[in-house]
Amino acid sequence: MEQIKMIGLDLDGTLLNEKKELLPYTRQVLEKAIAQGIIVLVATGRPCSGIPEEVRAIQGMRYALTMNGARIYDLAQGNTLINHPLPYEAARKALEITKKYDTLQEAYIGEEVFSEEKGLRNLSKYHRNPHMWDYVRATRTPVSSMLEWYTKTQKDADKLQLLFADMDARTAAWRELEQVPELVLSGSLGNNIEINAAGVNKGVGMLELGKLLGIRREEIMACGDSDNDLDMLREVGLGVAMGNAGETVKAVADYVTETNEEEGVAKAVERFALRGGKTC
């Protein structure tokens, strides 16, 4: 097997436990990998502003793939390396299609996430994990009507997110949205739909960053648990599914590690990337 030179890590359900914590041993393993010259980065659907401070504080973590690959940052330089926005007209069409459903509509633009006020007031209806509520409230800018607000801004979005109260509504909305060729759909929470520009996903993003840094596909490893990680696990040289991942995700992976509660990321990094074995 090729020596691993870059590792992309999903956050929710992967690097973080169910309480949205980075556990100490995982941090220790990642810092050892970085000390050995391996590039370690988050590969998340969240915006850069949504990366927890304890993750940002990992010594030597320089890059971040955010919004499913729509924007990749050099954190050390404070600039965007890669950006693939969702064109305004396509994003507006998606918001028009889904406005009739009981959904919390969100638009990710750069560092900000704009959410409909009425949905934020009833957050537990759309976000099922209570450990997400404080994070969401702290990182959202409320707007009274997403479609009206977005029509006035006329900006390209990095990503849209739709959170559904009813799974039948999600299924119906997905069928409508997949008829729009400018959109690519994925999900990470079970009851959500994430929308990026066609051709944008975490896998493409990881390979693009690798090319910029002179790292080949075979030298890239990634860990994930959700549907928005599928392309990443397929595209990289070594795709690792978490033990808590769904069967669809496990099926495309090269290896299945332990769950996020059991620090499966740390164990996979030790097994496949660290030189000299375990940290202790």
Side-chain angles (χ1 to χ4, degrees):
M1 190 183 81
E2 296 277 352
Q3 174 63 47
I4 297 299
K5 294 183 179 178
M6 185 165 80
I7 304 171
L9 303 171
D10 173 55
L11 284 175
D12 301 297
T14 300
L15 183 60
L16 307 178
N17 67 9
E18 291 308 302
K19 294 181 179 178
K20 306 303 173 183
E21 300 166 327
L22 174 67
L23 297 176
Y25 188 64
T26 297
R27 181 191 182 108
Q28 184 183 355
V29 169
L30 296 184
E31 289 183 341
K32 181 170 184 179
I34 292 167
Q36 291 184 359
I38 299 169
I39 293 168
V40 178
L41 66 144
V42 297
T44 180
R46 297 190 188 196
C48 193
S49 58
I51 299 172
E53 282 303 317
E54 60 185 341
V55 176
R56 282 174 169 270
I58 294 173
Q59 190 172 358
M61 185 175 279
R62 176 168 180 172
Y63 303 100
L65 183 156
T66 68
M67 296 173 282
N68 295 332
R71 196 178 289 263
I72 301 177
Y73 293 92
D74 181 335
L75 300 174
Q77 297 295 322
N79 65 298
T80 298
L81 293 176
I82 296 167
N83 184 212
H84 298 299
L86 177 61
Y88 164 74
E89 289 294 346
R92 187 177 184 279
K93 187 182 297 185
L95 293 173
E96 285 178 334
I97 287 171
T98 55
K99 184 174 174 59
K100 62 180 174 286
Y101 297 104
D102 185 4
T103 176
L104 171 56
Q105 294 182 321
E106 299 189 322
Y108 292 56
I109 302 176
E111 290 286 306
E112 287 193 89
V113 183
F114 300 88
S115 301
E116 279 202 325
E117 234 167 0
K118 63 180 180 181
L120 287 175
R121 286 197 300 266
N122 297 284
L123 195 56
S124 61
K125 185 178 181 182
Y126 304 102
H127 266 289
R128 296 171 178 174
N129 184 344
H131 299 294
M132 288 289 286
W133 297 345
D134 287 344
Y135 157 70
V136 171
R137 292 188 181 106
T139 56
R140 268 48 174 179
T141 300
V143 298
S144 57
S145 165
M146 178 57 66
L147 182 57
E148 288 179 16
W149 172 83
Y150 192 70
T151 300
K152 289 176 183 176
T153 67
Q154 297 199 0
K155 291 182 179 179
D156 296 341
D158 289 294
K159 187 184 91 165
L160 299 181
Q161 175 167 244
L162 312 163
L163 293 117
F164 291 83
D166 178 78
M167 291 302 290
D168 289 337
R170 180 185 184 272
T171 300
W174 188 291
R175 286 174 181 157
E176 287 194 69
L177 291 167
E178 66 183 355
Q179 302 305 311
V180 183
E182 300 93 339
L183 309 178
V184 62
L185 312 180
S186 63
S188 60
L189 301 175
N191 68 318
N192 77 332
I193 299 176
E194 298 176 42
I195 303 176
N196 289 95
V200 175
N201 60 61
K202 292 184 183 183
V204 170
M206 288 293 293
L207 296 189
E208 285 183 310
L209 180 59
K211 187 174 181 180
L212 272 180
L213 301 177
I215 297 172
R216 294 181 294 112
R217 172 187 177 274
E218 294 78 14
E219 299 169 325
I220 302 174
M221 170 181 167
C223 301
D225 73 302
S226 298
D227 288 350
N228 68 338
D229 298 315
L230 284 167
D231 290 301
M232 179 169 69
L233 300 190
R234 287 191 191 103
E235 291 293 337
V236 301
L238 179 64
V240 177
M242 304 301 294
N244 49 287
E247 292 306 312
T248 305
V249 179
K250 290 178 180 177
V252 305
D254 300 297
Y255 179 76
V256 178
T257 188
E258 296 187 44
T259 70
N260 60 328
E261 295 294 330
E262 299 166 314
E263 302 196 77
V265 163
K267 291 168 184 175
V269 171
E270 285 180 330
R271 182 183 180 99
F272 295 109
L274 285 189
R275 297 186 296 277
K278 294 188 177 183
T279 60
C280 61

